[in-house]
Amino acid sequence: MTVTWDELLRRFGAPSQDLVAFQAAFAGALRMVYAADPTITLAADEEGVTLGHAATAREAEVRHPAAGGPRGLPDPVSLRPHLTGLPGVVWLRRGRGDEPLVIGVTPGARLEPERLVLVLLEPLILQASGEMPQKEFEAVSAWVVANRDLIDFVWEGKVRSFEDVTSRIRKLAVSDWRQN
C-alpha cells in the first residue's frame, strides 16, 4: 500500500507545515516504527510511503530455502569494508514477496536497527530511512551501481554461497568517491 506525501501531510501534518519539514519528521517516525516492528516493510520515495508486511521467517524459508552445508549463504549477508571499499558494512538479503528492493548499511559489523540505514534501489537510489552523511551516501550509491548484478542475484536467491558473493563483488576504490 502506498500513500502519497500530500495525503500524509493532509492527515498528519500541522496546518501550516511545509512538505519538506513534514517528510523529514515523518521519516524519523517511520524509523522508530521499523525499529519497533521489523515484520513490516517501509519504503519512502518522492511519491510517498509504501507499507507492507515482511514475510515471517517460516514463509521466507519456504520461498527461499537456505543453502545446505557449511558454505551456505546466511540471510542477511554482511559485506565488511575490506570487501566493499566502503566505510560501513553493507547488508544484502533475499527478497520476500513484492517488497521494494533495498540494501542496508550500518557503521559497524552488528545489524542494529537503530543504526541501520535502508537504501531503496528502485526506481532510483534513495536513502529510505536512517541517517548517513552525503559523501558516504554518494559512495554507497556508486557501490550499488557497480554491484547491482550481485545485489539482484542475492535478492533473487540465486547466489548460494558466501564465496559466490565475494567472487562477484566489485570493490569501490577510495579514490572513486572520497575527495579531500
Side-chain angles (χ1 to χ4, degrees):
M1 173 173 104
T2 300
V3 181
T4 67
W5 284 113
D6 290 332
E7 176 68 13
L8 291 167
L9 177 62
R10 187 182 63 73
R11 294 171 108 189
F12 303 109
S16 62
Q17 191 173 19
D18 80 14
L19 185 58
V20 174
F22 173 77
Q23 287 173 328
F26 201 81
L30 289 176
R31 284 190 292 280
M32 288 188 284
V33 169
Y34 179 76
D37 185 359
T39 65
I40 60 173
T41 60
L42 298 167
D45 61 20
E46 61 251 351
E47 298 293 318
V49 175
T50 302
L51 173 70
H53 294 282
T56 65
R58 180 66 189 131
E59 290 169 332
E61 180 63 23
V62 169
R63 271 189 240 139
H64 302 285
R71 292 170 31 112
L73 187 66
D75 194 26
V77 177
S78 66
L79 303 176
R80 296 188 182 209
H82 72 279
L83 295 171
T84 64
L86 296 169
V89 175
V90 174
W91 298 87
L92 305 180
R93 65 175 176 82
R94 294 181 186 116
R96 295 176 179 91
D98 293 332
E99 67 184 332
L101 178 58
V102 296
I103 65 166
V105 180
T106 56
R110 293 183 52 172
L111 184 56
E112 300 170 294
E114 66 276 2
R115 299 179 76 192
L116 177 67
V117 175
L118 290 179
V119 178
L120 183 68
L121 304 188
E122 294 175 351
L124 60 131
I125 301 170
L126 178 72
Q127 187 173 323
S129 70
E131 296 179 21
M132 179 185 300
Q134 183 62 32
K135 281 193 177 265
E136 188 173 336
F137 177 71
E138 290 168 4
V140 169
S141 297
W143 186 88
V144 166
V145 169
N147 288 279
R148 183 56 193 264
D149 59 336
L150 167 65
I151 295 166
D152 289 341
F153 284 139
V154 172
W155 187 262
E156 295 164 3
K158 294 179 180 176
V159 178
R160 296 295 181 187
S161 72
F162 190 71
E163 289 78 12
D164 286 344
V165 172
T166 58
S167 71
R168 294 173 185 257
I169 291 176
R170 291 185 188 104
K171 185 175 181 176
L172 187 68
V174 173
S175 63
D176 289 347
W177 62 271
R178 185 177 289 165
Q179 297 177 7
N180 296 328

PDB file of all heavy atoms in Angstrom, residues 86-103:
ATOM      1  N   LEU A  86      33.853   0.466   1.202  1.00  0.00           N
ATOM      2  CA  LEU A  86      33.029   1.482   1.874  1.00  0.00           C
ATOM      3  C   LEU A  86      33.409   1.579   3.341  1.00  0.00           C
ATOM      4  O   LEU A  86      33.958   0.635   3.907  1.00  0.00           O
ATOM      5  CB  LEU A  86      31.546   1.123   1.736  1.00  0.00           C
ATOM      6  CG  LEU A  86      30.996   1.118   0.315  1.00  0.00           C
ATOM      7  CD1 LEU A  86      29.602   0.494   0.291  1.00  0.00           C
ATOM      8  CD2 LEU A  86      30.964   2.522  -0.242  1.00  0.00           C
ATOM      9  N   PRO A  87      33.067   2.685   3.991  1.00  0.00           N
ATOM     10  CA  PRO A  87      33.401   2.816   5.410  1.00  0.00           C
ATOM     11  C   PRO A  87      32.511   1.988   6.338  1.00  0.00           C
ATOM     12  O   PRO A  87      32.875   1.737   7.470  1.00  0.00           O
ATOM     13  CB  PRO A  87      33.228   4.314   5.684  1.00  0.00           C
ATOM     14  CG  PRO A  87      32.286   4.784   4.634  1.00  0.00           C
ATOM     15  CD  PRO A  87      32.538   3.929   3.435  1.00  0.00           C
ATOM     16  N   GLY A  88      31.352   1.559   5.880  1.00  0.00           N
ATOM     17  CA  GLY A  88      30.432   0.787   6.715  1.00  0.00           C
ATOM     18  C   GLY A  88      30.221  -0.608   6.157  1.00  0.00           C
ATOM     19  O   GLY A  88      30.823  -1.013   5.170  1.00  0.00           O
ATOM     20  N   VAL A  89      29.344  -1.347   6.822  1.00  0.00           N
ATOM     21  CA  VAL A  89      29.004  -2.707   6.417  1.00  0.00           C
ATOM     22  C   VAL A  89      27.739  -2.665   5.570  1.00  0.00           C
ATOM     23  O   VAL A  89      26.756  -2.016   5.941  1.00  0.00           O
ATOM     24  CB  VAL A  89      28.798  -3.605   7.655  1.00  0.00           C
ATOM     25  CG1 VAL A  89      28.316  -4.993   7.251  1.00  0.00           C
ATOM     26  CG2 VAL A  89      30.093  -3.702   8.452  1.00  0.00           C
ATOM     27  N   VAL A  90      27.762  -3.345   4.439  1.00  0.00           N
ATOM     28  CA  VAL A  90      26.594  -3.457   3.559  1.00  0.00           C
ATOM     29  C   VAL A  90      25.908  -4.774   3.874  1.00  0.00           C
ATOM     30  O   VAL A  90      26.559  -5.811   4.006  1.00  0.00           O
ATOM     31  CB  VAL A  90      27.005  -3.412   2.070  1.00  0.00           C
ATOM     32  CG1 VAL A  90      25.809  -3.678   1.168  1.00  0.00           C
ATOM     33  CG2 VAL A  90      27.647  -2.080   1.730  1.00  0.00           C
ATOM     34  N   TRP A  91      24.576  -4.721   3.993  1.00  0.00           N
ATOM     35  CA  TRP A  91      23.774  -5.904   4.278  1.00  0.00           C
ATOM     36  C   TRP A  91      22.909  -6.220   3.075  1.00  0.00           C
ATOM     37  O   TRP A  91      22.101  -5.390   2.657  1.00  0.00           O
ATOM     38  CB  TRP A  91      22.901  -5.665   5.503  1.00  0.00           C
ATOM     39  CG  TRP A  91      23.713  -5.408   6.736  1.00  0.00           C
ATOM     40  CD1 TRP A  91      24.189  -4.215   7.168  1.00  0.00           C
ATOM     41  CD2 TRP A  91      24.154  -6.381   7.675  1.00  0.00           C
ATOM     42  NE1 TRP A  91      24.910  -4.385   8.323  1.00  0.00           N
ATOM     43  CE2 TRP A  91      24.899  -5.707   8.659  1.00  0.00           C
ATOM     44  CE3 TRP A  91      23.995  -7.762   7.787  1.00  0.00           C
ATOM     45  CZ2 TRP A  91      25.473  -6.355   9.736  1.00  0.00           C
ATOM     46  CZ3 TRP A  91      24.565  -8.414   8.865  1.00  0.00           C
ATOM     47  CH2 TRP A  91      25.308  -7.710   9.830  1.00  0.00           C
ATOM     48  N   LEU A  92      23.097  -7.411   2.506  1.00  0.00           N
ATOM     49  CA  LEU A  92      22.280  -7.882   1.400  1.00  0.00           C
ATOM     50  C   LEU A  92      21.438  -9.041   1.908  1.00  0.00           C
ATOM     51  O   LEU A  92      21.879  -9.823   2.741  1.00  0.00           O
ATOM     52  CB  LEU A  92      23.145  -8.381   0.239  1.00  0.00           C
ATOM     53  CG  LEU A  92      24.181  -7.425  -0.340  1.00  0.00           C
ATOM     54  CD1 LEU A  92      24.931  -8.116  -1.479  1.00  0.00           C
ATOM     55  CD2 LEU A  92      23.535  -6.147  -0.824  1.00  0.00           C
ATOM     56  N   ARG A  93      20.233  -9.151   1.367  1.00  0.00           N
ATOM     57  CA  ARG A  93      19.383 -10.280   1.759  1.00  0.00           C
ATOM     58  C   ARG A  93      18.508 -10.689   0.592  1.00  0.00           C
ATOM     59  O   ARG A  93      18.405  -9.989  -0.393  1.00  0.00           O
ATOM     60  CB  ARG A  93      18.533  -9.923   2.965  1.00  0.00           C
ATOM     61  CG  ARG A  93      17.516  -8.838   2.702  1.00  0.00           C
ATOM     62  CD  ARG A  93      16.643  -8.632   3.937  1.00  0.00           C
ATOM     63  NE  ARG A  93      15.725  -7.557   3.777  1.00  0.00           N
ATOM     64  CZ  ARG A  93      14.551  -7.644   3.150  1.00  0.00           C
ATOM     65  NH1 ARG A  93      14.193  -8.776   2.605  1.00  0.00           N
ATOM     66  NH2 ARG A  93      13.754  -6.613   3.052  1.00  0.00           N
ATOM     67  N   ARG A  94      17.886 -11.838   0.771  1.00  0.00           N
ATOM     68  CA  ARG A  94      16.945 -12.310  -0.235  1.00  0.00           C
ATOM     69  C   ARG A  94      15.666 -11.499  -0.145  1.00  0.00           C
ATOM     70  O   ARG A  94      15.245 -11.108   0.936  1.00  0.00           O
ATOM     71  CB  ARG A  94      16.630 -13.778  -0.001  1.00  0.00           C
ATOM     72  CG  ARG A  94      17.820 -14.671  -0.220  1.00  0.00           C
ATOM     73  CD  ARG A  94      17.442 -16.126   0.014  1.00  0.00           C
ATOM     74  NE  ARG A  94      18.630 -16.941  -0.070  1.00  0.00           N
ATOM     75  CZ  ARG A  94      19.121 -17.642   0.945  1.00  0.00           C
ATOM     76  NH1 ARG A  94      18.518 -17.639   2.107  1.00  0.00           N
ATOM     77  NH2 ARG A  94      20.207 -18.345   0.786  1.00  0.00           N
ATOM     78  N   GLY A  95      15.038 -11.263  -1.295  1.00  0.00           N
ATOM     79  CA  GLY A  95      13.768 -10.557  -1.311  1.00  0.00           C
ATOM     80  C   GLY A  95      12.650 -11.451  -0.798  1.00  0.00           C
ATOM     81  O   GLY A  95      12.736 -12.680  -0.853  1.00  0.00           O
ATOM     82  N   ARG A  96      11.612 -10.819  -0.291  1.00  0.00           N
ATOM     83  CA  ARG A  96      10.469 -11.550   0.242  1.00  0.00           C
ATOM     84  C   ARG A  96       9.195 -10.957  -0.349  1.00  0.00           C
ATOM     85  O   ARG A  96       8.755  -9.891   0.068  1.00  0.00           O
ATOM     86  CB  ARG A  96      10.456 -11.454   1.760  1.00  0.00           C
ATOM     87  CG  ARG A  96      11.649 -12.148   2.385  1.00  0.00           C
ATOM     88  CD  ARG A  96      11.683 -11.953   3.897  1.00  0.00           C
ATOM     89  NE  ARG A  96      12.817 -12.630   4.482  1.00  0.00           N
ATOM     90  CZ  ARG A  96      14.010 -12.089   4.669  1.00  0.00           C
ATOM     91  NH1 ARG A  96      14.232 -10.852   4.334  1.00  0.00           N
ATOM     92  NH2 ARG A  96      14.983 -12.779   5.207  1.00  0.00           N
ATOM     93  N   GLY A  97       8.647 -11.633  -1.321  1.00  0.00           N
ATOM     94  CA  GLY A  97       7.400 -11.160  -1.918  1.00  0.00           C
ATOM     95  C   GLY A  97       7.608  -9.948  -2.800  1.00  0.00           C
ATOM     96  O   GLY A  97       8.609  -9.825  -3.487  1.00  0.00           O
ATOM     97  N   ASP A  98       6.645  -9.038  -2.733  1.00  0.00           N
ATOM     98  CA  ASP A  98       6.635  -7.862  -3.599  1.00  0.00           C
ATOM     99  C   ASP A  98       7.244  -6.629  -2.949  1.00  0.00           C
ATOM    100  O   ASP A  98       6.993  -5.523  -3.379  1.00  0.00           O
ATOM    101  CB  ASP A  98       5.196  -7.539  -4.022  1.00  0.00           C
ATOM    102  CG  ASP A  98       4.627  -8.616  -4.916  1.00  0.00           C
ATOM    103  OD1 ASP A  98       5.418  -9.277  -5.623  1.00  0.00           O
ATOM    104  OD2 ASP A  98       3.401  -8.803  -4.911  1.00  0.00           O
ATOM    105  N   GLU A  99       8.040  -6.811  -1.899  1.00  0.00           N
ATOM    106  CA  GLU A  99       8.611  -5.652  -1.221  1.00  0.00           C
ATOM    107  C   GLU A  99       9.629  -4.936  -2.105  1.00  0.00           C
ATOM    108  O   GLU A  99      10.209  -5.526  -3.003  1.00  0.00           O
ATOM    109  CB  GLU A  99       9.236  -6.066   0.101  1.00  0.00           C
ATOM    110  CG  GLU A  99      10.458  -6.948  -0.053  1.00  0.00           C
ATOM    111  CD  GLU A  99      11.000  -7.431   1.272  1.00  0.00           C
ATOM    112  OE1 GLU A  99      10.832  -6.754   2.280  1.00  0.00           O
ATOM    113  OE2 GLU A  99      11.622  -8.501   1.274  1.00  0.00           O
ATOM    114  N   PRO A 100       9.853  -3.657  -1.847  1.00  0.00           N
ATOM    115  CA  PRO A 100      10.827  -2.900  -2.641  1.00  0.00           C
ATOM    116  C   PRO A 100      12.245  -3.424  -2.423  1.00  0.00           C
ATOM    117  O   PRO A 100      12.583  -3.874  -1.332  1.00  0.00           O
ATOM    118  CB  PRO A 100      10.704  -1.478  -2.110  1.00  0.00           C
ATOM    119  CG  PRO A 100       9.560  -1.455  -1.183  1.00  0.00           C
ATOM    120  CD  PRO A 100       9.189  -2.856  -0.843  1.00  0.00           C
ATOM    121  N   LEU A 101      13.064  -3.331  -3.455  1.00  0.00           N
ATOM    122  CA  LEU A 101      14.453  -3.771  -3.399  1.00  0.00           C
ATOM    123  C   LEU A 101      15.259  -2.783  -2.556  1.00  0.00           C
ATOM    124  O   LEU A 101      15.330  -1.596  -2.875  1.00  0.00           O
ATOM    125  CB  LEU A 101      15.023  -3.853  -4.816  1.00  0.00           C
ATOM    126  CG  LEU A 101      16.480  -4.253  -4.979  1.00  0.00           C
ATOM    127  CD1 LEU A 101      16.756  -5.617  -4.355  1.00  0.00           C
ATOM    128  CD2 LEU A 101      16.851  -4.271  -6.436  1.00  0.00           C
ATOM    129  N   VAL A 102      15.839  -3.273  -1.456  1.00  0.00           N
ATOM    130  CA  VAL A 102      16.617  -2.431  -0.551  1.00  0.00           C
ATOM    131  C   VAL A 102      17.891  -3.153  -0.127  1.00  0.00           C
ATOM    132  O   VAL A 102      17.976  -4.376  -0.203  1.00  0.00           O
ATOM    133  CB  VAL A 102      15.830  -2.052   0.737  1.00  0.00           C
ATOM    134  CG1 VAL A 102      14.630  -1.206   0.422  1.00  0.00           C
ATOM    135  CG2 VAL A 102      15.431  -3.283   1.527  1.00  0.00           C
ATOM    136  N   ILE A 103      18.866  -2.368   0.287  1.00  0.00           N
ATOM    137  CA  ILE A 103      20.032  -2.889   0.991  1.00  0.00           C
ATOM    138  C   ILE A 103      20.112  -2.128   2.309  1.00  0.00           C
ATOM    139  O   ILE A 103      19.515  -1.065   2.462  1.00  0.00           O
ATOM    140  CB  ILE A 103      21.339  -2.738   0.195  1.00  0.00           C
ATOM    141  CG1 ILE A 103      21.697  -1.254  -0.015  1.00  0.00           C
ATOM    142  CG2 ILE A 103      21.277  -3.491  -1.115  1.00  0.00           C
ATOM    143  CD1 ILE A 103      23.125  -1.034  -0.484  1.00  0.00           C
TER     144      ILE A 103
END
